[in-house]
Amino acid sequence: MNELNLTYEDVEGIAGALLAVFFILIEKFKPAREMNKMDDFKYDLLGFLLIPVVVGLSRNSIRGVIGYFNIESMDLLAGYHSGLKIFLSLLITDLFLYLNHRLMHTDFLWNAHVWHHMPKNLYWFSGFRSSFIHAFMFAIPGILVGFFLFNLNFTELCIAYSYGAFAQFFTHANIKYKLQALSYIIVTPHMHSVHHQTGDHTHKNFGVMFSCWDRLFGTYLDPDSVEHRQYGSEKPENVSLIRILLGI
């Protein structure tokens, strides 16, 4: 199954590179709105270059704790079809990501998340801004659910993590599309764009992969029911870039 000795994170990286090419092309030919991507490019690039570092450190830290305490997997649904295990892993992970996301919108954790909300233009590249604490909080559910609950094998992990990478690209993409019914199942760019707008809109549409959690917990805001606002939260006063990148 893995003759090249790849890790699932290698496969996730390859999927990310292919997705980057795809979204560059689709944003070029089917943009939802015109924008000057150079406005924030240096910070978007910084976020993109740092994401493998902060995500890698976060995942390795969590795996280190699991190894130190010799935590064994519960291996739920052992013997069941891989499709069911992957779907439930993504769904449960997404529930915890939704809850984490809401926590990061509290005053106590806002500094961990504000870096992600600062871009004035929203497109696939700007969606990679994550502080270390942000990345750490988002890494916990994927590892604990994939390993501790379901003990996903290599192929299952590759599929799950590659879909997570797709969701990251897709939800922040600046693309025009006609399948609005998708928003009843997954988080779409149109739906997520509201979350990156200023004012009280930013406290709506917290979903990461699936839209059911916002609808279930009353945080869904129909993007067609509200007037569009500008993107980008302001940098907190007296907080250095280093602190923003760390999330403190």
Side-chain angles (χ1 to χ4, degrees), residues 42-182:
K42 63 180 180 180
Y43 294 116
D44 294 337
L45 179 61
L46 177 61
F48 185 75
L49 294 175
L50 286 177
I51 196 69
V53 178
V54 295
V55 170
L57 286 172
S58 299
R59 289 177 177 173
N60 287 334
S61 299
I62 298 164
R63 284 193 289 254
V65 171
I66 290 173
Y68 180 80
F69 289 102
N70 197 27
I71 299 172
E72 295 184 358
S73 174
M74 296 174 65
D75 204 7
L76 300 179
L77 301 182
Y80 280 75
H81 192 277
S82 288
L84 177 63
K85 292 168 67 177
I86 293 167
F87 171 71
L88 288 178
S89 292
L90 289 171
L91 189 66
I92 295 170
T93 296
D94 197 51
L95 170 60
F96 285 106
L97 292 178
Y98 168 87
L99 296 173
N100 278 353
H101 197 174
R102 289 192 67 171
L103 280 174
M104 285 193 281
H105 277 255
T106 62
D107 291 341
F108 180 68
L109 286 172
W110 178 240
N111 278 358
H113 192 51
V114 68
W115 170 240
H116 185 73
H117 274 267
M118 286 171 58
K120 303 299 182 184
N121 292 304
L122 191 65
Y123 67 114
W124 74 269
F125 200 45
S126 62
F128 284 92
R129 297 195 195 187
S130 296
S131 72
F132 175 75
I133 292 179
H134 177 161
F136 184 83
M137 290 180 65
F138 266 50
I140 293 172
I143 292 177
L144 292 186
V145 173
F147 167 78
F148 182 67
L149 288 185
F150 295 112
N151 195 25
L152 299 184
N153 63 34
F154 174 76
T155 302
E156 292 164 349
L157 282 172
C158 288
I159 295 171
Y161 273 79
S162 294
Y163 181 77
F166 167 79
Q168 170 67 27
F169 280 85
F170 180 63
T171 56
H172 295 91
N174 175 36
I175 57 175
K176 185 185 296 183
Y177 59 96
K178 296 181 180 180
L179 298 175
Q180 299 296 344
L182 279 175

Side-chain angles (χ1 to χ4, degrees), residues 2-51:
N2 185 20
E3 296 178 357
L4 297 177
N5 293 319
L6 297 173
T7 68
Y8 66 86
E9 288 166 321
D10 293 330
V11 176
E12 181 187 30
I14 294 169
L18 295 174
L19 286 167
V21 174
F22 174 76
F23 279 99
I24 287 171
L25 292 174
I26 199 170
E27 285 192 348
K28 178 176 177 61
F29 295 107
K30 296 286 289 183
R33 53 197 173 273
E34 296 298 322
M35 64 175 64
N36 182 1
K37 296 178 180 178
M38 298 308 296
D39 287 347
D40 279 338
F41 182 77
K42 63 180 180 180
Y43 294 116
D44 294 337
L45 179 61
L46 177 61
F48 185 75
L49 294 175
L50 286 177
I51 196 69

